[in-house]
Amino acid sequence: MKIKTTTVLVLLAAGTASPAWATDVFTLEGFGAISRGLGGAAVSLDVGPAGIMSNPATLSLSTDNLDPDSNSQLLIGLDMVATNIDAYNDATGAKAASHTHSRNRGPYFAPELAYIRRSGKFTFGIGAFALGGLGTEYGKSSFLSNGLSGAPTGLDNSSRMLALDIPAAVSVKVTDRLTIGGSIDAVWIGLNLGLQLQADQVGSLIGSGRVSGSLVPVLGGIPGLDAAHFGLTRNNHLLNGVDGWGLGGRVGFTYKLTPSTTIGGAYNFKTDVADLKGPATLTAVSTIAGQIPLTGRIRVRDFQMPARLSVGVTQRFGAQLLITAEYQRVFWKDAMKNINVGFEADAGGDINVLLPQNYRNQDIVAIGGAYEMGPMTFRAGARFASQATPGATLLAVVPGIPKYHASAGMTYKLGKRQAIDFAYSHAFKERVSNDGLPNTSQPLSVTHSQNNLSIGYRLSF
């Protein structure tokens, strides 16, 4: 029943949304085509029903802007994400390109759904959105699939993380100037992972006290140990190797300083998702004994999406032109210190691994402008972020590294009650390098760029 429920919800709101969405590490840089066209800014202006994901208080602005005969609005939208990720062995020049090797990968499509309704001074909303994700597909024959001896293992290196957010929100128009809002969200996270560690990486993790359990002496005692591989992947568009459900939420406000100037702020709480659980295979690779697979159950502990604080201001210049700016602080340091994995073999024994990540908190500035011309509104924006991923803990299968984005978009109104929104954003190529153990055996660099296209249809009634 749990698998069926997950499948239905992902079909509705995450599509094959995956992974290398890492625009702001694991999270999308904006929700809905209006925000996306403004560089992801959303907390101090009306961005339609998609505002439920950024600042629920803006939903009151959305219903205020509806046709006088309407009190509801429906959003049906779709995101398409195409990525370009490459990993390089800086010692040899070898390249591993992330491609679509299986049903595990993209390009990625993610529907965005939301419905809001005004009732007096209240506006209620519900939605289903892909919150973000991350992913790669390097295949089974790149340098990442070689053992410490240099011999190929034929084991895959890949990842796919999907995060689905289902918010239920309310916004209150306290006065003509002040709105407040909040949401409680059901959050689902699913993960596929194929990760090979060479023998010296295993030794480094053991030596630093990051590996424990009864299988440690067994693994360390294998003659000619060349590599170890965790496999927790379902080769499926929707289902994942491990997953878990939990809660999230956000609160926010908007305030009109003047009829032309609005400020806004929101705080997204860190998620509280249960440990991600599912079947997995731990494979030890020996130059003497070959491959020794152990089937069992795996648990990825305390894998969460981070808290985020956003403040912004929107200034209108007449009825046609607006400029908006926003600052965000994303608290990755608290959410992503380690990837904490526990494996229990069906035949008995266990092993626990802490892969260091030590992400930094991220500072983001988003700016955007919009100009209305008859039935059309044109938008442009930019987004500038600090690097959250330290080079010293970079994993090739977790390349959430883009920092700079440029975007453009438009809205075309189909009468008073319908509109179509478009947006395109580009994440410029970023390169991060890791020179050594434990997360890489050879000097490693990863490059990542991507293109996002968003389209939405809004109907007021």
Side-chain angles (χ1 to χ4, degrees), residues 46 57 118 169 283:
D46 172 19
R118 177 178 58 204
T283 303

Side-chain angles (χ1 to χ4, degrees), residues 2 12 39 42 48 124 131 189 191 204 208 223 228 230 247 262 320 343 383 398 431 437 445:
K2 180 179 178 182
L12 287 174
F124 301 93
L131 180 60
I189 297 177
L191 177 68
S204 176
S208 59
F230 282 106
L247 295 174
T262 303
Q320 294 177 292
F343 175 80
R383 191 173 184 86
V398 189
R431 186 184 189 104
L437 301 169
S445 291

